[in-house]
Amino acid sequence: MSYTYKSGVHIDWCPGCGDFGILSAIQMALSEMKVEPHRVAVFSGIGCSSKTPHYINAYGIHTIHGRPLPYAIGAKLANPNLVVLVVSGDGDMLSIGAGHFVSAGRRNVDLTCVVFDNGVYGLTKGQASPTLRRGIKTKALPKPNINDAVNPIALAIISGYTFVARGYAFDIKHLKDLLKQAIQHKGTSLVDVLQPCPSYNDIMTKEWYAGEDRADPATGKSIPRIYKLEDSGFDPVVHNPDEKEVAQKMCNAIAKSLEWGDRIPIGVFYQNPHVPTYEERLTSRIPNYRQYPPALQKIADESMHPIVDLKKLMERFKLE
Amino acid sequence: MQLDRLVWRIGGAQGSGVDLAANVFARACAMGGLNVFGTREYYSNIKGMHSYFTVVASDKQVRAHSNNVHLLSSFDAETVVRHALSVVPNGGIIFDPSVVEEDIKKIPTMEREYVKRVLKMLKSEGLGENVKDVLELVKKRDVVQIPLPYLDLLKEISRLVAEPQISILMRMVNIMAVSAAFSLLRYDFEFLSKSIDATFKERERIAKMNVKAAEYVYDYVQQTHGNALKLSLLPTRSSENRILISGTTSVALGKIAGGVRFQSYYPITPAADESVYLEDSEVFELKSEAEVESSIMGKSGSIIVFQTEDEIAAITSATGAALTGTRASTATSGPGFSLMVEGLSWAGMNEVPVVVTLYQRGGPSTGLPTRHEQADLLFAMYGGHGEFPRIVFASGDIEEAFYDAVLVQNYAERYQLPVVHILDKALANSVMTCRSFDPSKVLIERGQFVSEKDLGGEYLRFKFTESGISPMARLGEKGTIFWNTGDEHDEYGHITEDPLLRDTMMEKRMRKLDTAAKEIPDEQKLKIFGEDSAPNIVVSWGSPKGAILDSLDLLNKEGVEVCYVQVKMMRPFPTKTMGRILSGAKKIVDVENNYSGQLGKIIKSELGIEPSHYVLKYNGRPISNEEAFHGIMSAVKEDKRRIVLRGGI
């Protein structure tokens, strides 16, 4: 059985936009995982990337700027059987929604965040986003960027995300594999996706990532800036639930996340499968949470009266 | 002399157990068959600042507090200074004799301006600047003084309970103050003992110790001041099945009964108590007959209480939960609601049933964070960008708040829109005896849901219908994939900017409000007390209800023909019925806890009729029953157009 994840809605991104690659990778990942479309709910915020849910044949919830995470968490906790994706831009997740981004890490709800990371606010015509480095002047900026950039990988790790990866929008196959791992991971996962914006980011372009500005003197071929962590023998996984190993793996990942410029790593930076998910934490308090989550609970009997035993609840307020 | 209602007050530093002692007092009265109403005043502070609790007890129903106190229990200087003048002639003050020499100027927790006012008043009476001067002043008013040497008594109690550490026993001074009050009132000790047991249920040792201390003080006061007070309090027989409950708990129980299974919140006064109670009761038993019905169903139900990082996440996570078909709500106060309005607008646009329980407190900004006000009505009605349908519903007392908490869930789901359920601090933090909540009076009316089998063809989430209501689907169900967006959208939920589609969709959404206005019966929208043909109509909303109702008999005795209309449904407003009632009135008296008469403004905009008189209060304290009476009298008899009430401490 195969499922189509294309919704048929006209896609209005600019020609050459990195978003196309991310959309394809999401659709391919879900399709290869054979998840039924109705089990999937895709949440987004505001911006070009946040139109993504409309292009996917699955429940698609296009919310408000910066807030897709809390919407998604509410839905997932009410119905833990859902496969939940949060797809949003760097401005959405790391500026206006940064508080939610950090708080999500403390909970480890089983969902996957995909950040479309292009360094600019595209839909408002190219202002600097929180991942644009200081001093860079993309074409729509009147002056070079005055702010330093946030590091999404490091921020996710110290916030408690238990799967942290970076992909590249124009390496669809690699990105698809990352997304599959992220979705399969039990807990909150981040896939930060480097994504050229052909309209407003004239610095970190497709050509720049490919290293076309620098040629190997021996072969004459360009030297790509992007390399894969897995090719360098990097081991991101916390194998034992041991504090020392967790600390070591976190430090390794953060050190890797600081690489930029000539060599930019993609792949899995960090994975810790030993942290209980929020759903597991809830189950320890509400034993039948999994079988009988909020969305599946019956609330009224046939005569439309509450199903809960109200008399029992009121006992402690009785005056006898 | 036996009173038809007794007003008792206890004060003390925050963190010294005033609240607990007051609950013990209220419960002891209630256990003796009396009806009680208790209300709490406190600073935005954890320890040290002054707080007090007033309990009104009567064999008749009581619904409001009173500013005139019969008996004051105190164990510190500040309580004497602040409240002695509230005690009526023949009333009594229980105080610690060791505080009388204290210099009022040196009480650090009283605002400087307040101290100045007190000293000025004492000076005008030719008195000095110590606590004893306050007592001297009230002596002139025939107020009985009962010194209670707490420390000496504690030394005796220390031997009695075999606990040599006085510092540990110091925590019992509040119970001692309660016991002294009951002794003076000659109220049966048995009820106090039962109440202490019920309060310290899980801590038997502490309960025993407190009972012993209470008994010792009770006897001591009997021996030393047995007949000092002319007033007494008698238990009564009550056949009704009653409970003693607070406002926030009442709403929380209504949520569980009404099927709320997801509640989000960010801590804020005074709303947080509701969520804390819900979390404490997150797993609850189902009716035994329900267990048999379905095997997949567990033996227990549950509610997820989700503490968020801010109120934006509170409204948005509740909305996300609601998309799965779960009844979801959040509870907050003014500053939190301010953060929620963008999310409210999205819920309106996407027709998501979500309930915001809004406990108003003193504003603007941080305002009076632990005090009372009703100044967020217009905000609740209009907050949010763009035009979208919503229901705004206000409860007036603790008992109806339970049933209303169910109603608002029904409204939200039937009309697929956000509902703001407005309450306030006075209601939230009060306790009241009321009839045990009757589950047979609770009806759960669910919204229209579809699943795959109901569909002939593809599913249109925002299908154009005559009622404006498009059947909902739940995230995760097969065959009903849909899209939501904050953008204007087509019937699928995809973005559109087409002008015609915009008009059609806008009109469909807004039509739901007309449907709601038609379907919801008048008796849910407003309550009429008295004959609505009366020449004087009192209009009000929210918690002033108790004070108004408690003053109605007295107004009638004074020959003031008055009918009180409690407006509950603010949007859609009961325009027709209100128009009929108000158009025949000679005087319309609007009673509200705010500066500008917000209900009056709504009435004016809906009906073109303006209240002729306003009785307003905005000093952060709720309206007492005396104030309601005098306020309405001043409006009707003296024809004062704007009466500002300034009572309270």
Side-chain angles (χ1 to χ4, degrees), chain B residues 157 160-161 189 196 207-217:
Chain B
I157 291 165
L160 210 62
V161 299
F189 182 77
I196 292 172
K208 271 193 184 147
M209 214 157 80
N210 274 281
V211 171
K212 273 203 175 151
E215 199 171 11
Y216 183 80
V217 172

Side-chain angles (χ1 to χ4, degrees), chain B residues 279-299:
Chain B
E279 185 169 344
D280 192 34
S281 319
E282 64 187 357
V283 178
F284 37 79
E285 286 182 47
L286 302 176
K287 289 192 289 200
S288 51
E289 58 268 31
E291 281 173 36
V292 193
E293 250 175 58
S294 163
S295 57
I296 59 147
M297 211 163 67
K299 285 194 168 66

Side-chain angles (χ1 to χ4, degrees), chain B residues 236-304:
Chain B
T236 180
R237 195 169 291 189
S238 166
S239 55
E240 269 186 352
N241 186 9
R242 296 173 317 143
I243 53 174
L244 177 66
I245 198 162
S246 74
T248 48
T249 314
S250 170
V251 176
L253 283 173
K255 286 188 175 186
I256 294 177
V260 175
R261 296 297 176 261
F262 185 93
Q263 159 110 346
S264 56
Y265 84 106
Y266 183 77
I268 190 166
T269 304
D273 291 351
E274 182 198 302
S275 299
V276 171
Y277 170 78
L278 281 173
E279 185 169 344
D280 192 34
S281 319
E282 64 187 357
V283 178
F284 37 79
E285 286 182 47
L286 302 176
K287 289 192 289 200
S288 51
E289 58 268 31
E291 281 173 36
V292 193
E293 250 175 58
S294 163
S295 57
I296 59 147
M297 211 163 67
K299 285 194 168 66
S300 56
S302 61
I303 178 169
I304 290 182

